[in-house]
PDB file of all heavy atoms in Angstrom:
ATOM      1  N   ILE A  24       3.768  -8.536 -14.710  1.00 96.00           N
ATOM      2  CA  ILE A  24       2.566  -9.019 -15.384  1.00 96.00           C
ATOM      3  C   ILE A  24       2.893 -10.421 -15.980  1.00 96.00           C
ATOM      4  O   ILE A  24       3.894 -10.521 -16.704  1.00 96.00           O
ATOM      5  CB  ILE A  24       2.031  -8.064 -16.453  1.00 96.00           C
ATOM      6  CG1 ILE A  24       1.633  -6.710 -15.811  1.00 96.00           C
ATOM      7  CG2 ILE A  24       0.946  -8.685 -17.281  1.00 96.00           C
ATOM      8  CD1 ILE A  24       1.460  -5.596 -16.686  1.00 96.00           C
ATOM      9  N   ARG A  25       2.071 -11.433 -15.620  1.00 97.00           N
ATOM     10  CA  ARG A  25       2.265 -12.832 -16.158  1.00 97.00           C
ATOM     11  C   ARG A  25       1.915 -12.915 -17.657  1.00 97.00           C
ATOM     12  O   ARG A  25       0.727 -12.647 -17.866  1.00 97.00           O
ATOM     13  CB  ARG A  25       1.490 -13.762 -15.232  1.00 97.00           C
ATOM     14  CG  ARG A  25       1.961 -13.718 -13.815  1.00 97.00           C
ATOM     15  CD  ARG A  25       1.166 -14.599 -12.850  1.00 97.00           C
ATOM     16  NE  ARG A  25       1.047 -15.979 -13.289  1.00 97.00           N
ATOM     17  CZ  ARG A  25       1.945 -16.888 -13.130  1.00 97.00           C
ATOM     18  NH1 ARG A  25       3.022 -16.618 -12.450  1.00 97.00           N
ATOM     19  NH2 ARG A  25       1.747 -18.082 -13.611  1.00 97.00           N
ATOM     20  N   LEU A  26       2.863 -13.269 -18.449  1.00 97.00           N
ATOM     21  CA  LEU A  26       2.666 -13.259 -19.903  1.00 97.00           C
ATOM     22  C   LEU A  26       2.855 -14.640 -20.531  1.00 97.00           C
ATOM     23  O   LEU A  26       3.795 -15.298 -20.197  1.00 97.00           O
ATOM     24  CB  LEU A  26       3.724 -12.279 -20.475  1.00 97.00           C
ATOM     25  CG  LEU A  26       3.772 -12.148 -21.988  1.00 97.00           C
ATOM     26  CD1 LEU A  26       2.554 -11.660 -22.631  1.00 97.00           C
ATOM     27  CD2 LEU A  26       5.041 -11.321 -22.299  1.00 97.00           C
ATOM     28  N   LEU A  27       1.939 -15.030 -21.423  1.00 97.00           N
ATOM     29  CA  LEU A  27       2.053 -16.188 -22.113  1.00 97.00           C
ATOM     30  C   LEU A  27       2.265 -15.805 -23.662  1.00 97.00           C
ATOM     31  O   LEU A  27       1.513 -14.992 -24.158  1.00 97.00           O
ATOM     32  CB  LEU A  27       0.831 -17.067 -22.070  1.00 97.00           C
ATOM     33  CG  LEU A  27       0.745 -18.358 -22.958  1.00 97.00           C
ATOM     34  CD1 LEU A  27       1.854 -19.346 -22.623  1.00 97.00           C
ATOM     35  CD2 LEU A  27      -0.654 -19.029 -22.785  1.00 97.00           C
ATOM     36  N   VAL A  28       3.232 -16.340 -24.373  1.00 97.00           N
ATOM     37  CA  VAL A  28       3.667 -15.916 -25.699  1.00 97.00           C
ATOM     38  C   VAL A  28       3.290 -17.120 -26.517  1.00 97.00           C
ATOM     39  O   VAL A  28       3.656 -18.307 -26.273  1.00 97.00           O
ATOM     40  CB  VAL A  28       5.122 -15.599 -25.849  1.00 97.00           C
ATOM     41  CG1 VAL A  28       5.402 -15.082 -27.323  1.00 97.00           C
ATOM     42  CG2 VAL A  28       5.525 -14.530 -24.840  1.00 97.00           C
ATOM     43  N   VAL A  29       2.595 -16.890 -27.673  1.00 97.00           N
ATOM     44  CA  VAL A  29       2.190 -17.896 -28.656  1.00 97.00           C
ATOM     45  C   VAL A  29       2.517 -17.522 -30.125  1.00 97.00           C
ATOM     46  O   VAL A  29       2.093 -16.500 -30.654  1.00 97.00           O
ATOM     47  CB  VAL A  29       0.701 -18.207 -28.523  1.00 97.00           C
ATOM     48  CG1 VAL A  29       0.236 -19.427 -29.392  1.00 97.00           C
ATOM     49  CG2 VAL A  29       0.269 -18.349 -27.058  1.00 97.00           C
ATOM     50  N   ASP A  30       3.382 -18.387 -30.732  1.00 96.00           N
ATOM     51  CA  ASP A  30       3.801 -18.138 -32.136  1.00 96.00           C
ATOM     52  C   ASP A  30       4.187 -19.515 -32.721  1.00 96.00           C
ATOM     53  O   ASP A  30       4.954 -20.265 -31.964  1.00 96.00           O
ATOM     54  CB  ASP A  30       4.911 -17.125 -32.256  1.00 96.00           C
ATOM     55  CG  ASP A  30       5.049 -16.609 -33.598  1.00 96.00           C
ATOM     56  OD1 ASP A  30       5.310 -17.403 -34.540  1.00 96.00           O
ATOM     57  OD2 ASP A  30       4.774 -15.467 -33.900  1.00 96.00           O
ATOM     58  N   ASP A  31       3.843 -19.767 -33.960  1.00 95.00           N
ATOM     59  CA  ASP A  31       4.111 -21.158 -34.456  1.00 95.00           C
ATOM     60  C   ASP A  31       5.543 -21.146 -35.071  1.00 95.00           C
ATOM     61  O   ASP A  31       5.954 -22.264 -35.479  1.00 95.00           O
ATOM     62  CB  ASP A  31       3.004 -21.577 -35.542  1.00 95.00           C
ATOM     63  CG  ASP A  31       3.049 -20.617 -36.663  1.00 95.00           C
ATOM     64  OD1 ASP A  31       2.952 -19.338 -36.451  1.00 95.00           O
ATOM     65  OD2 ASP A  31       2.922 -21.074 -37.825  1.00 95.00           O
ATOM     66  N   HIS A  32       6.295 -20.047 -35.156  1.00 95.00           N
ATOM     67  CA  HIS A  32       7.557 -20.047 -35.724  1.00 95.00           C
ATOM     68  C   HIS A  32       8.574 -20.139 -34.555  1.00 95.00           C
ATOM     69  O   HIS A  32       8.650 -19.171 -33.754  1.00 95.00           O
ATOM     70  CB  HIS A  32       7.896 -18.907 -36.509  1.00 95.00           C
ATOM     71  CG  HIS A  32       7.104 -18.825 -37.782  1.00 95.00           C
ATOM     72  ND1 HIS A  32       5.927 -18.128 -37.805  1.00 95.00           N
ATOM     73  CD2 HIS A  32       7.254 -19.366 -38.982  1.00 95.00           C
ATOM     74  CE1 HIS A  32       5.341 -18.317 -39.006  1.00 95.00           C
ATOM     75  NE2 HIS A  32       6.142 -19.098 -39.846  1.00 95.00           N
ATOM     76  N   PRO A  33       9.374 -21.193 -34.350  1.00 95.00           N
ATOM     77  CA  PRO A  33      10.290 -21.354 -33.177  1.00 95.00           C
ATOM     78  C   PRO A  33      11.213 -20.242 -33.043  1.00 95.00           C
ATOM     79  O   PRO A  33      11.527 -19.807 -31.933  1.00 95.00           O
ATOM     80  CB  PRO A  33      10.968 -22.734 -33.497  1.00 95.00           C
ATOM     81  CG  PRO A  33      10.076 -23.398 -34.475  1.00 95.00           C
ATOM     82  CD  PRO A  33       9.350 -22.421 -35.266  1.00 95.00           C
TER      83      PRO A  33
END
Side-chain angles (χ1 to χ4, degrees):
I24 296 166
R25 298 174 55 79
L26 172 68
L27 174 62
V28 185
V29 188
D30 196 298
D31 61 317
H32 294 95

